[in-house]
């Protein structure tokens, strides 16, 4: 797969960061061509995780699961599946005599460990919020991460906004918060009004924290000294997920979740085997989500990652309506329409920007030739 997707060629040189320190990371990223096959692959990974992850996490709660840190563990605990593609890429690296470095540099290792701790905390906030909310409501609320990403990307990586970008952020944020206007008829059975409100704000806090994390990841990529390729992105994700899992693992020990899991699996509504299947499948699917997110940031940037997440989350809402027969209210329909409108606005703006950039490059090339 690496050869067909041209993964090794999808590199990002950072020499310009040393020669032109005043340039922002976003400006530097725009200089490299987009590896479209790799971007589409990571977008597909995101779609699998963003749509499937919340459905499986909610399925755990619906049939008797109640251990919050166990469910949090599944959001990062699938990281061992990354050893397979990394081992393949390592063998490919060894067979290429021109290859120099395979492992990521030490400062990226440290940065990914710190990011992993914050991701572990974010996973817990999201999981706890989901225990009080329907998947459809939680997904739309979590899409507010786009607004947080836009703000933090502007501060951290000096993301340049166009009118189309601003329009997209406003539309999709409005769609995400629209559900807050009428929520009385959307509470799951057994959840009180206070519990619903608690889950509402927990999910917003989770969206805010991940909105900070993604631009920080983009900054880590930009500060890399050596050439950055997708192999390093895989290592970065593995380390992030490993440290996020360590956070959950320590909490599970403190909360005595391992002892409780045996009893919980016997009493699980779908049976003991399905209890294991739900948790393992959740771990694998959630890993696709985070791997895809880091890959999209590598290919384009953190703001596009937020845009893509925001348009996929309403798809989760639709899936929840069919899978769990959740209510599809008028507010949810309007939120979905606004998110899709914002996504279209962003892509049209990017199309216009790239069109102008290509025309300018062609004009400069013609001037140099003449």
């Amino acid at each position: 797969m690496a050869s067909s997707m041209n993964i090794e060629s999808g590199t990002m040189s950072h020499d310009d960061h040393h020669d032109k320190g005043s340039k922002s990371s976003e400006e530097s990223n725009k200089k490299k061509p987009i590896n479209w096959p790799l971007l589409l692959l990571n977008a597909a990974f995101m779609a699998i995780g963003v749509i499937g992850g919340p459905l499986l996490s909610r399925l755990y709660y619906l049939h008797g699961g109640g251990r919050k840190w166990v469910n949090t563990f599944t959001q990062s605990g699938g990281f061992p599946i990354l050893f397979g593609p990394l081992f393949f890429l390592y063998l490919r690296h060894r067979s290429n005599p021109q290859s120099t470095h395979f492992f990521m540099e030490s400062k990226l290792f440290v940065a990914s460990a710190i990011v992993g701790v914050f991701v572990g905390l974010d996973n817990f906030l999201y999981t706890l919020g989901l225990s009080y909310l329907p998947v459809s409501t939680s997904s739309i609320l979590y899409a507010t991460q786009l607004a947080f990403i836009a703000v933090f990307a502007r501060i951290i990586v000096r993301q340049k906004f166009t009118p189309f970008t601003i329009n997209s952020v406003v539309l999709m944020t409005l769609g995400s918060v629209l559900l807050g206007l009428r929520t009385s008829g959307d509470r799951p059975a057994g959840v009180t009004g206070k519990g619903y409100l608690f889950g509402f704000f927990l999910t917003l806090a989770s969206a805010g924290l991940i909105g900070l994390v993604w631009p920080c990841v983009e900054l880590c990529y930009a500060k890399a000294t050596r050439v950055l390729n997708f192999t390093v992105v895989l290592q970065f994700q593995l380390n992030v997920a490993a440290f996020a899992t360590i956070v959950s693992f320590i909490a599970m020990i403190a909360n005595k979740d391992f002892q409780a899991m045996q009893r919980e699996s016997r009493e699980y509504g779908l049976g003991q085997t399905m209890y294991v299947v739900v948790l393992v499948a959740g771990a694998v699917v959630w890993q696709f989500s985070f791997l895809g997110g880091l890959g999209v940031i590598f290919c384009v940037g953190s703001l596009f990652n937020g845009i893509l997440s925001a348009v996929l989350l309403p798809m989760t809402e639709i899936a929840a309506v069919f899978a769990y027969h959740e209510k599809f209210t008028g507010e949810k329909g309007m939120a979905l329409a606004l998110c899709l409108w914002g996504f279209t606005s962003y892509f049209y703006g990017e199309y216009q920007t790239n069109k102008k950039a290509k025309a300018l490059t062609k004009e400069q090339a013609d001037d140099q030739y003449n």
Side-chain angles (χ1 to χ4, degrees):
M1 182 179 69
S3 58
S4 63
M5 289 297 174
N6 198 22
I7 287 177
E8 290 297 336
S9 65
T11 57
M12 177 162 53
S13 175
H14 295 278
D15 294 338
D16 291 341
H17 287 272
H18 301 292
D19 299 334
K20 299 177 182 179
S22 60
K23 297 214 179 230
S24 68
S25 63
E26 182 65 22
E27 292 170 336
S28 297
N29 288 344
K30 285 184 178 180
K31 290 182 179 180
K32 74 183 182 79
I34 295 176
N35 187 330
W36 285 104
L38 185 59
L39 175 60
L40 292 174
L41 175 66
N42 283 286
F45 285 162
M46 278 191 68
I48 293 171
V50 171
I51 296 174
L55 293 177
L56 289 167
S57 292
R58 187 61 188 168
L59 184 63
Y60 168 77
Y61 288 129
L62 285 175
H63 295 280
R67 313 302 295 187
K68 308 300 188 297
W69 280 109
V70 171
N71 213 353
T72 302
F73 182 91
T74 65
Q75 294 188 44
S76 58
F79 71 89
I81 67 173
L82 299 178
F83 284 111
L86 274 174
F87 181 69
F88 170 77
L89 291 171
Y90 178 71
L91 292 179
R92 186 184 178 194
H93 164 80
R94 289 289 300 271
S95 64
N96 184 0
Q98 295 181 348
S99 298
T100 54
H101 300 287
F102 177 81
F103 297 103
M104 63 179 173
E105 51 196 292
S106 57
K107 63 181 179 181
L108 280 181
F109 178 88
V110 174
S112 60
I114 296 172
V115 169
V117 172
F118 282 101
V119 168
L121 296 175
D122 179 79
N123 289 344
F124 179 69
L125 290 174
Y126 175 82
T127 301
L128 187 58
L130 186 61
S131 66
Y132 294 101
L133 300 174
V135 173
S136 53
T137 303
S138 173
S139 296
I140 292 293
L141 284 174
Y142 197 65
T144 57
Q145 65 174 280
L146 175 62
F148 293 107
I149 289 175
V151 172
F152 289 123
R154 177 64 180 171
I155 297 171
I156 296 173
V157 295
R158 299 178 186 176
Q159 170 71 48
K160 294 181 69 175
F161 284 175
T162 66
F164 293 102
T165 303
I166 297 172
N167 182 55
S168 175
V169 170
V170 171
L171 286 171
M172 299 176 85
T173 303
L174 285 175
S176 303
V177 302
L178 186 62
L179 294 178
L181 300 178
R182 283 186 61 188
T183 56
S184 58
D186 198 32
R187 291 200 302 268
V191 176
T192 64
K194 289 183 179 179
Y196 187 96
L197 193 62
F198 183 55
F200 190 96
F201 285 109
L202 280 173
T203 306
L204 286 179
S206 175
L209 183 54
I210 202 67
L212 172 63
V213 165
W214 290 132
C216 287
V217 169
E218 184 177 355
L219 182 64
C220 292
Y221 290 170
K223 294 297 183 181
T225 305
R226 297 200 297 259
V227 171
L228 188 67
N229 56 35
F230 194 65
T231 301
V232 175
V233 174
L234 279 174
Q235 295 176 43
F236 193 93
Q237 163 59 10
L238 191 149
N239 209 39
V240 167
F243 276 87
T245 303
I246 290 172
V247 172
S248 302
F249 187 80
I250 294 174
M252 287 173 66
I253 294 175
N255 204 35
K256 299 182 179 179
D257 283 336
F258 289 103
Q259 298 90 320
M261 285 176 68
Q262 295 183 357
R263 182 187 70 255
E264 189 175 74
S265 65
R266 291 192 298 267
E267 299 173 355
Y268 193 63
L270 297 178
Q272 197 165 4
T273 301
M274 282 302 298
Y275 178 83
V276 177
V277 170
V278 168
L279 292 180
V280 172
V284 173
V285 169
W286 275 117
Q287 197 60 218
F288 279 123
S289 174
F290 287 102
L291 174 61
L294 290 176
V296 167
I297 292 174
F298 167 72
C299 292
V300 184
S302 58
L303 183 60
F304 180 77
N305 176 60
I307 296 283
L308 187 57
S309 296
V311 80
L312 286 173
L313 287 168
M315 303 304 174
T316 310
E317 172 191 355
I318 296 175
V321 170
F322 285 102
Y324 302 141
H325 306 290
E326 295 180 358
K327 295 179 181 179
F328 190 80
T329 62
E331 288 81 3
K332 292 180 181 180
M334 290 179 64
L336 176 59
L338 287 169
C339 283
L340 292 174
W341 183 8
F343 187 67
T344 303
S345 174
Y346 176 84
F347 262 105
Y348 181 75
E350 286 298 297
Y351 170 75
Q352 292 293 332
T353 301
N354 290 333
K355 185 178 179 181
K356 292 178 181 178
K358 288 181 180 179
L360 180 61
T361 302
K362 186 177 183 300
E363 182 180 340
Q364 291 174 344
D366 292 341
D367 291 342
Q368 290 179 355
Y369 180 77
N370 294 330

